[in-house]
Amino acid sequence: MASTVTSDTPESLTEATGVTGGKAGYGQLLRTPGALSFLLPGFAARQPFAMLTIGIVLLVQHTTGSYGSAGAVAAVTGVSMALFAPQSGKLADRFGQRAVLVPGVLVHTVAVSLLVVLALTGAPLWALFLAAVPAGASVPQVGPMVRARWAATLGGDSATPSPLLPTAAAFESVTDEFTFVVGPVLATALCTGVHPAAGLITEAALTLFGGLFFAAQRRTQPAHGLHSAAAAEPRVSALSIPGVRVLAIAFLGIGSVFGGMQVSLTAFSEEIGNPGANGLLYGIFAAGNMLAGIAMGAVAWKIGPRRRLILGYTGLTVAASLLWSAHSVLLLGALGLVVGLCIAPALITGYTIVETLVPAGARTEAFTWLTGAVALGQAAAVTVAGRLADAQGASTGFLVPLVGTALALATLVGLRAHLRPRVAGRVTARGIGHRVPVTVD
């Protein structure tokens, strides 16, 4: 159901909700003053996010001979990150990104190094679990921090934020997907071609140097604590905002797609006697996500973000519902491409909406709740899909993305009223004129 608000002009709300009829491309975005200073180190620092899980799986499997044990240690890391990431975001909003990043990357480097040593010396599984907890909890939340810097740079908390905000969200989604293509490939090549521990050692090094370099970019760091423009507002947790909780549930569904696809594609490739097909199939899936992300940032949308989110999730659920029936590499590759194409609109629009729901003083925390939800959904999906694939075959593992996205879509449809932009009720005075009702959806 569409809701209406009053404003001087339709354009004022169009700008506030991130829907614009103008041209807001990537070139214009990258020319934003100060953008490259945090984008380049941010890209290096976020690579470990995609390398950690696969690095743990390959190392622990090599030292224990068990994929089950390797998956369990990786799952502990994922759950730990999902639980602690929002706390990291909350601390960054209160004390600043640098204050959180510097000790965080140091802890992460030590924890991953300890995990490597324990694995190589044949330590018991419980010891690996203990080391996996701080390794996951200290994963630097560079992606959410970069998004918070974009929001601060582009005026995301003002009554008339830049129309480049949706483009920035699309750019970040493409960067995330590129990370998830490059990171696992790099970690796999290092573990198989150099040493089983080389992937995690590289991950720790990138975290340390990339994170410290990113933290050094103080000029683009968002205001925090008493220095924030929102300091006069009562401090609340981002999760106390109903719309953030709705989006977190939706992002659990996205995590179920990532986790379910990783395990089920691997199981499918082994079933058909062609393990090498796994990399090709997952690459096609990730490429679809990247292509859709690029397109999302280049399109001048005429419909509101809430409607875009529901339409994107509907397409994702329909596409995921067909995966279990694919029994050939060609068909599964085609369906994987479609699933990837449908993820980006849901993911990007969710990040765009959260910028309009949350005050600046809680924005990094909000982004980390969404990132943590993806990680938690992925960890759960890896476990469930793995058990289903072991017991019933690879095709049953594809039921996990279907169930996850269907439940998330039902939540979005039923609670869509909570996704109304926080800035929608503001009235911007631009001179004398009649106020007219404007459709948000």
Side-chain angles (χ1 to χ4, degrees), residues 126-196:
W126 63 264
L128 300 182
F129 288 155
L130 289 180
V133 172
S138 59
V139 171
Q141 299 302 308
V142 176
M145 289 181 180
V146 171
R147 287 181 167 91
R149 293 193 184 214
W150 276 125
T153 302
L154 299 175
D157 198 48
S158 66
T160 56
S162 168
L164 285 170
L165 273 175
T167 306
F171 182 84
E172 287 306 304
S173 179
V174 173
T175 304
D176 283 341
E177 280 311 303
F178 188 67
T179 297
F180 274 98
V181 171
V182 173
V185 172
L186 176 60
T188 302
L190 290 169
C191 290
T192 57
V194 180
H195 188 276

Side-chain angles (χ1 to χ4, degrees), residues 346-426:
L347 195 67
I348 292 168
T349 307
Y351 278 118
T352 302
I353 290 176
V354 83
E355 290 169 352
T356 68
L357 293 173
V358 181
R363 190 168 288 141
T364 306
E365 179 198 350
F367 288 139
T368 51
W369 275 114
L370 301 191
T371 303
V374 173
L376 185 59
Q378 185 174 354
V382 165
T383 303
V384 176
R387 290 184 178 275
L388 289 174
D390 285 340
Q392 304 293 332
S395 61
T396 58
F398 288 116
L399 296 176
V400 173
L402 167 59
V403 173
T405 54
L407 291 176
L409 176 60
T411 301
L412 283 176
V413 172
L415 301 176
R416 64 188 182 277
H418 292 304
L419 301 179
R420 182 178 303 171
R422 176 176 174 265
V423 296
R426 298 182 183 177

Side-chain angles (χ1 to χ4, degrees), residues 23-122:
K23 183 69 173 177
Y26 292 111
Q28 182 181 353
L29 179 72
L30 294 177
R31 288 193 296 271
T32 301
L36 292 180
S37 69
F38 65 82
L39 283 181
L40 296 179
F43 178 75
R46 73 208 302 173
Q47 288 298 322
F49 187 86
M51 297 176 66
L52 183 61
T53 299
I54 188 65
I56 290 174
V57 168
L58 292 173
L59 174 61
V60 177
Q61 193 279 330
H62 171 79
T63 57
T64 66
S66 169
Y67 278 105
S69 297
V73 176
V76 169
T77 305
V79 172
S80 178
M81 191 196 73
L83 294 176
F84 282 89
Q87 309 311 315
S88 172
K90 185 182 296 185
L91 291 172
D93 284 326
R94 184 171 183 180
F95 300 107
Q97 294 183 358
R98 177 184 172 85
V100 174
L101 265 177
V102 173
V105 298
L106 295 176
V107 170
H108 185 76
T109 303
V110 172
V112 172
S113 300
L114 176 61
L115 181 59
V116 169
V117 172
L118 290 173
L120 291 178
T121 55

Side-chain angles (χ1 to χ4, degrees), residues 264-305:
S264 300
L265 288 176
T266 301
F268 173 82
S269 300
E270 291 180 353
E271 277 189 4
I272 64 174
N274 185 11
N278 177 42
L280 174 64
L281 290 172
Y282 196 80
I284 292 173
F285 162 68
N289 202 345
M290 290 179 61
L291 290 174
I294 293 171
M296 284 285 293
V299 172
W301 293 97
K302 305 274 186 196
I303 60 175

